[in-house]
Amino acid sequence: MDVSIIIVNWNTKDLLINCINSVYQTTKNLAVEIWVVDNGSSDESVKTVRDLFPEINIIENQDNLGFAKACNQALEQIKGRYAVLLNTDTILSDGTIETVADFMDKNVKVGICGGQLPNDDGSKQNSIANIPNLSTELFSKSLLRRFFPKKYPGKEQDITNPVEVESVIGAFMAVRKEAVDETGLMDESYFFFFEETDWCVRMKRSGWSVFHHPDIKVYHLQGQTAKKVHIGARIEYWRSRYIFFKKHYGMITLIILKTGLMFKLFLSLASNLILSLITAFTNKKAAERSKLYITILCWHCLGLSKVYGLRGRQGG
């Protein structure tokens, strides 16, 4: 077996079927197996996959276990030399799997490889990520990319050749099985967000490199799962960010991060409330942002414990 495709699904049946079809339609010259890990979907995702693709390996969870834990369930059973992790809201372009496998065959120290993620209209998304630090989290990432492009590469740059990077976006990520065996599985402390970033950090510490390959095009209908439970997704982002900083930087840096983020959050909430008052609460975007900011503040007041919808039957 050359490549094992791993797709984690949670109530995105139509996206999942389109993603699977794109794997079959664009992969011609490699032995490929597909693993679907379903996290307690209620939209008949599992039944539909079994009916349409009986050859696919399915792991059916009763609850939403999160992205990292679901991926790990498949990673422990795959037969491929490489694992390709796909979001359900991705569509592969022709030759994607062959290109990434060929590149990693020829570059034996590459542990993780990502590709360019276009939107469905062909415009570029950010497909390269920096390892989070106080600068990236407390200042504007777009300004950092604009003024320090070498240190903070982004979609504004025209990258034409494979390049080593700090981290890649996990919507499409090819991983060498040997590197997984040496470095370990994903950290299941992360429920959603930052798990791939943490993995890249650990891979690099183990001596493996992380690359972005611009010739690999994977269309990404960005954040379709997260959009269904927007507030829950944002809470999980904050939670995972705190986990990452505590793990990799320690408590002092985490305290500085929280203090800076709280200051930014209060400023954002105040500006949106003022905008709502000026517009007599007719500005729906300002009202939605205010609701989000208030919910995040409440989450902090509750001791970072309450879950807002993303964890399915596990939600609190």
Side-chain angles (χ1 to χ4, degrees), residues 132-141 144 238 241-242 245 253-265:
N133 55 46
L134 290 176
S135 295
T136 64
E137 303 312 300
L138 298 181
F139 299 102
S140 167
K141 291 184 178 69
L144 290 174
W238 281 65
R241 177 163 50 183
Y242 288 161
F245 268 74
T253 303
L254 177 61
I255 291 170
I256 295 171
L257 173 73
K258 286 185 176 181
T259 303
L261 289 177
M262 287 297 99
F263 179 73
K264 289 180 61 177
L265 188 59

Side-chain angles (χ1 to χ4, degrees), residues 75-192:
L75 285 167
E76 290 178 325
Q77 302 182 58
I78 62 171
K79 299 176 182 177
R81 295 179 292 118
Y82 304 113
V84 172
L85 279 54
L86 286 179
N87 282 11
T88 55
D89 57 356
T90 55
I91 300 293
L92 303 186
S93 57
D94 283 337
T96 294
I97 303 301
E98 285 90 347
T99 300
V100 73
D102 180 67
F103 174 73
M104 296 181 78
D105 282 344
K106 294 175 179 176
N107 297 272
V108 296
K109 290 307 293 179
V110 175
I112 293 179
C113 182
Q116 178 60 54
L117 303 173
N119 296 298
D120 54 3
D121 63 1
S123 59
K124 292 197 297 185
Q125 298 176 18
N126 283 313
S127 307
I128 301 170
N130 284 92
I131 302 303
N133 55 46
L134 290 176
S135 295
T136 64
E137 303 312 300
L138 298 181
F139 299 102
S140 167
K141 291 184 178 69
S142 59
L143 289 179
L144 290 174
R145 290 194 296 267
R146 181 178 298 275
F147 290 108
F148 308 100
K150 290 186 178 180
K151 182 173 178 55
Y152 301 100
K155 63 183 179 181
E156 300 83 5
Q157 297 184 35
D158 186 20
I159 298 173
T160 57
N161 296 303
V163 59
E164 187 169 5
V165 295
E166 293 183 8
S167 180
V168 297
I169 304 299
F172 168 89
M173 184 166 58
V175 186
R176 189 182 301 272
K177 183 60 166 61
E178 181 186 351
V180 176
D181 293 339
E182 183 177 316
T183 304
L185 298 170
M186 282 187 169
D187 185 342
E188 296 177 6
S189 301
Y190 303 95
F191 183 82
F192 193 46

Side-chain angles (χ1 to χ4, degrees), residues 18 41 44 46 60 72 105 110 144 147 158 162 172 197 216-217 238 261 273 296 306-307 315:
N18 290 337
S41 294
E44 296 193 334
V46 172
E60 187 175 4
N72 287 347
D105 282 344
V110 175
L144 290 174
F147 290 108
D158 186 20
F172 168 89
T197 312
I216 297 169
K217 301 288 195 303
W238 281 65
L261 289 177
L273 288 175
I296 293 173
K306 188 171 177 59
V307 178

Side-chain angles (χ1 to χ4, degrees), residues 24 27 35 52 54-55 70 84 89 115 124 128 168 194 206 218 228 254 313-314:
Y24 284 129
T27 308
W35 287 79
L52 295 177
E55 73 283 2
V84 172
D89 57 356
K124 292 197 297 185
I128 301 170
V168 297
F194 284 83
S206 296
V218 178
K228 292 186 175 184
L254 177 61
R313 299 186 190 121
Q314 291 185 331

